[in-house]
Amino acid sequence: MSALPSIAGSSRVTTQSYDVVVVGAGFAGMYMLHKLRGQGFSVRVYEQGGDVGGTWYWNRYPGARCDVESMQYSYSFSEELQQEWDWSERYAPQPEILRYANHVADRFKLRPDIQLDTRVDRAQFDEGANSWSVTTSDGNTVVARYIVLATGCLSNARMPDIKGLADFKGKVYHTGHWPHERIDFTGQRVGVIGTGSSAIQSVPVIAEQASHLTVFQRTANFSIPAWNAALTSEEREAFRAKYPDIRRFAREVSRNGIYTEVPDKGALDDGDSERRARYEARWSRGGLTFMSVYNNLALDKAANDTAADFVREKIAEIVKDPGTARLLQPNNHPIGSKRICIDTDYFATFNRPNVTLVDIKSNPIVEILPNAVRTRDKEYEVDALVLATGFDAMTGSVAKIDIRGCNGQTLNQKWTEGPKTYLGLMSAGFPNLFIITGPGSPSVLSNMIVSIEQHVDWITDCVTYMRERDIETMEAKQDAEDTWVAHVNEVAHTTLYPQANSWYMGANIPGKPQIFMPYIGGVALYRQTCNDVAAKGYEGFTMTAVEQPRKVAAS
Ligand code: N01
């Protein structure tokens, strides 16, 4: 296949063609572009946002920062990049991560191949030409051999369906779609609906500004202190010196793409005081690695209860009002079965005189009035509303695109009962369409950048392999996909994760099929599986050479 030159200007000619169209210019899309271009492929990236950065472009709410430590939540593909970029804090704030994304775009000269403010509306596979026809929101249609969905897992903000919301007279903000200008809540009565990670990060910051903050909680969440702090240059240098080991561990040893100790025993192998001392030590260290104190916290309910009890006790110690403390103690899901939150002073914020917690499980929101939130028992007057109500995760952004594969089947039709992929990378019936960190891969259960780099490298190797052999199409075999989907499901059900009504399960979206979407087998094992598949000539995929009729994927 010959690559056509890059397009110039904003021509509406429909014959423009590329080797690869990439959808999204977040961390996945940017690295995909860099890597493919390095192999001589022509690439066009479409990004609906006004700049690069993906989730970090949209999630600008007060207090937004990454819950993976910044020295690890960063690209590893360029030694120069990881040596030259100075993260200022243990957990980078959103503006700094966005600056990093922009630095990467400039440093690797990615911008000429990225078209901003442009949504991909439709992608249709042409079975005669073995190519994708991609239509964008500016009315253009281009042709590409491959399409890569780098659409992000948490980029489709979900507006709650609450009566009267449209008639609210004050400002309404969604944490996942925050305005670009600085929002100052000084002197305002603010209502926050939702108590997931986004609320847990934003509530302490909003509480410092608002005259009064009312937090509407349906489900209490487990949160571990971040103990965020400035990074010294000595700390950064020490980390950088160990980067080869840290990156190797994250990729090849870890379950979640994070460098930390590997636990060697279960929670019940220790006596009460030893166990408590270990939890205390991890609480004092803070962060996501709290869940790796023991090796069975995600597997054994009795073990999990010991960690959950410890955190519930901490909440009771921090929150002065016993009734409020009780409400803030999660009690309907195992710790870690919903994404654990990392906070700065979240629980202590409820000791402030200007903060009220409202339990909307027992006292549900009935409607939004022009100036208030009305629950069954009471009205709460507010001037502004913050919806921290989450995302249509993992599939939401893909579902918005009208993707049509072989025989006119849409991806949405195929995924009616839940997403079906082979390795999270491809879906049978959709040749030459790759997904980065899609359902069926470790994705949101991991340090996303580790998983993104693994997928981008694998996809690049794959299309290079195809080019070298004059292979035109590649497609997941139906039986390989069925086996993988069953495996993903089976592994999930060996853990406690399916016990929570989480967005991992699609449970936060009414009507969404409830299946556990990410692959829980761990980053290292998954990488090895993908490498083995490639080493066996892309086992489980059908590849068709130029000028051969495309074989229907065998089952
Ligand atoms: O969203 P969530 P999030 N009425 O879905 C409630 C990542 N992230 O944006 O649990 C009332 O977790 C809902 O209640 P319930 C991270 O992976 C990362 O906070 O359904 N309430 C819940 O409390 C995270 O897990 C960072 O009962 C309603 C909340 O809204 C993921 O994004 C920072 C409601 C939604 O919580 C999502 O987090 C922030 C309704 N109609 C986020 N609908 C980092 O640090 C929903 N809720 C990288």
Side-chain angles (χ1 to χ4, degrees):
M1 183 181 59
S2 65
L4 295 179
S6 289
I7 62 167
S10 59
S11 154
R12 291 195 160 242
V13 182
T14 57
T15 51
Q16 190 63 58
S17 82
Y18 302 95
D19 296 324
V20 188
V21 157
V22 176
V23 189
F27 282 106
M30 287 200 296
Y31 180 43
M32 190 80 250
L33 166 61
H34 174 68
K35 191 83 193 199
L36 286 170
R37 245 180 19 185
Q39 292 300 314
F41 290 99
S42 64
V43 186
R44 189 65 169 171
V45 182
Y46 295 104
E47 164 57 55
Q48 71 173 347
D51 211 336
V52 299
T55 194
W56 300 106
Y57 175 83
W58 300 106
N59 282 267
R60 296 162 180 257
Y61 57 84
R65 55 178 79 243
C66 190
D67 57 4
V68 176
E69 296 187 21
S70 47
M71 294 299 291
Q72 298 201 55
Y73 189 82
S74 52
Y75 286 123
S76 70
F77 71 83
S78 161
E79 181 59 17
E80 296 77 23
L81 175 65
Q82 74 180 5
Q83 292 298 334
E84 80 197 4
W85 182 266
D86 281 340
W87 292 105
S88 66
E89 296 176 58
R90 180 177 174 190
Y91 299 94
Q94 174 270 338
E96 188 170 343
I97 303 175
L98 195 55
R99 274 202 303 282
Y100 175 73
N102 277 275
H103 170 74
V104 170
D106 294 332
R107 191 189 195 290
F108 297 99
K109 301 187 172 43
L110 303 179
R111 293 189 191 278
D113 295 313
I114 301 174
Q115 187 172 322
L116 300 171
D117 296 309
T118 310
R119 225 179 34 244
V120 169
D121 287 333
R122 186 180 161 96
Q124 174 145 19
F125 187 67
D126 178 338
E127 293 181 65
N130 284 337
S131 62
W132 284 90
S133 182
V134 179
T135 304
T136 47
S137 53
D138 58 359
N140 278 324
T141 297
V142 300
V143 170
R145 174 70 68 215
Y146 303 96
I147 180 165
V148 179
L149 304 180
T151 41
C153 294
L154 294 160
S155 44
N156 192 21
R158 178 178 130 65
M159 293 298 282
D161 185 14
I162 305 178
K163 186 179 160 202
L165 184 57
D167 300 323
F168 182 66
K169 289 280 177 272
K171 290 265 198 245
V172 178
Y173 305 97
H174 192 292
T175 46
H177 209 108
W178 201 262
H180 286 209
E181 64 274 15
R182 187 169 175 274
I183 306 300
D184 186 354
F185 291 110
T186 302
Q188 295 189 39
R189 296 164 302 177
V190 181
V192 172
I193 300 180
T195 47
S197 296
S198 302
I200 283 176
Q201 288 186 335
S202 56
V203 156
V205 183
I206 296 173
E208 283 177 7
Q209 297 172 359
S211 61
H212 197 91
L213 171 63
T214 309
V215 179
F216 297 91
Q217 171 187 277
R218 196 163 64 183
T219 307
N221 257 310
F222 290 99
S223 188
I224 307 296
W227 306 125
N228 187 38
L231 280 175
T232 63
S233 50
E234 291 74 30
E235 285 169 325
R236 278 194 296 264
E237 285 319 312
F239 212 94
R240 282 181 180 135
K242 289 193 297 185
Y243 253 146
D245 282 346
I246 288 171
R247 301 299 202 184
R248 190 192 56 76
F249 180 94
R251 293 185 195 115
E252 295 172 19
V253 181
S254 79
R255 291 186 66 81
N256 59 8
I258 295 175
Y259 178 74
T260 192
E261 301 93 325
V262 179
D264 57 358
K265 58 177 160 178
L268 305 178
D269 296 336
D270 273 335
D272 286 352
S273 59
E274 172 64 16
R275 192 167 50 235
R276 186 161 186 97
R278 282 179 172 246
Y279 286 143
E280 279 290 357
R282 246 358 131 85
W283 180 272
S284 304
R285 191 200 294 180
L288 287 177
T289 61
F290 184 83
M291 286 305 290
S292 36
V293 177
Y294 292 111
N295 61 18
N296 60 349
L297 295 182
L299 302 173
D300 178 328
K301 181 66 168 55
N304 185 285
D305 284 344
T306 64
D309 285 343
F310 175 85
V311 176
R312 284 189 280 261
E313 282 169 32
K314 284 288 178 194
I315 295 169
E317 276 171 29
I318 298 167
V319 180
K320 295 195 178 115
D321 174 59
T324 306
R326 248 190 323 277
L327 279 180
L328 287 167
Q329 289 171 326
N331 55 24
N332 74 346
H333 61 280
I335 185 169
S337 60
K338 286 184 164 201
R339 170 76 165 221
I340 205 159
C341 305
I342 305 301
D343 73 277
T344 298
D345 293 336
Y346 175 67
F347 295 116
T349 296
F350 292 90
N351 294 331
R352 294 175 65 107
N354 69 331
V355 177
T356 306
L357 181 68
V358 177
D359 172 22
I360 55 169
K361 180 83 97 196
S362 64
N363 174 27
I365 295 176
V366 176
E367 64 177 326
I368 309 284
L369 301 172
N371 64 339
V373 176
R374 186 164 82 80
T375 65
R376 195 189 56 202
D377 300 340
K378 198 172 165 187
E379 268 178 41
Y380 297 87
E381 288 198 0
V382 289
D383 305 308
L385 267 179
V386 173
L387 306 175
T389 45
F391 303 87
D392 184 356
M394 300 204 79
T395 56
S397 298
V398 175
K400 275 184 167 168
I401 308 170
D402 181 9
I403 298 172
R404 290 165 190 263
C406 299
N407 305 316
Q409 185 189 31
T410 70
L411 195 61
N412 285 334
Q413 283 163 345
K414 176 164 177 195
W415 286 9
T416 311
E417 292 163 2
K420 296 195 169 84
T421 67
Y422 176 38
L423 298 174
L425 280 159
M426 294 192 107
S427 193
F430 296 83
N432 293 4
L433 179 146
F434 295 97
I435 310 167
I436 299 182
T437 61
S441 73
S443 183
V444 290
L445 296 176
S446 67
N447 176 351
M448 287 301 283
I449 299 199
V450 172
S451 288
I452 284 169
E453 289 191 330
Q454 185 248 332
H455 268 182
V456 167
D457 292 348
W458 193 93
I459 292 167
T460 307
D461 288 348
C462 176
V463 294
T464 305
Y465 173 99
M466 291 170 71
R467 181 176 60 186
E468 284 165 358
R469 290 162 181 77
D470 281 339
I471 294 167
E472 244 180 28
T473 63
M474 171 177 184
E475 183 179 348
K477 289 183 182 175
Q478 191 60 58
D479 63 343
E481 179 172 295
D482 292 344
T483 305
W484 184 253
V485 168
H487 174 62
V488 170
N489 194 42
E490 190 186 335
V491 180
H493 282 84
T494 62
T495 74
L496 303 174
Y497 277 82
Q499 294 188 18
N501 289 325
S502 65
W503 57 259
Y504 294 138
M505 297 285 294
N508 62 327
I509 304 295
K512 188 165 173 172
Q514 293 204 19
I515 63 157
F516 193 78
M517 292 185 284
Y519 176 54
I520 211 167
V523 159
L525 178 66
Y526 173 78
R527 170 183 295 266
Q528 193 54 53
T529 305
C530 292
N531 289 348
D532 291 347
V533 162
K536 291 178 190 158
Y538 295 92
E539 187 180 48
F541 293 96
T542 301
M543 288 186 164
T544 308
V546 177
E547 306 207 335
Q548 278 177 21
R550 196 182 62 78
K551 294 192 194 87
V552 175
S555 52

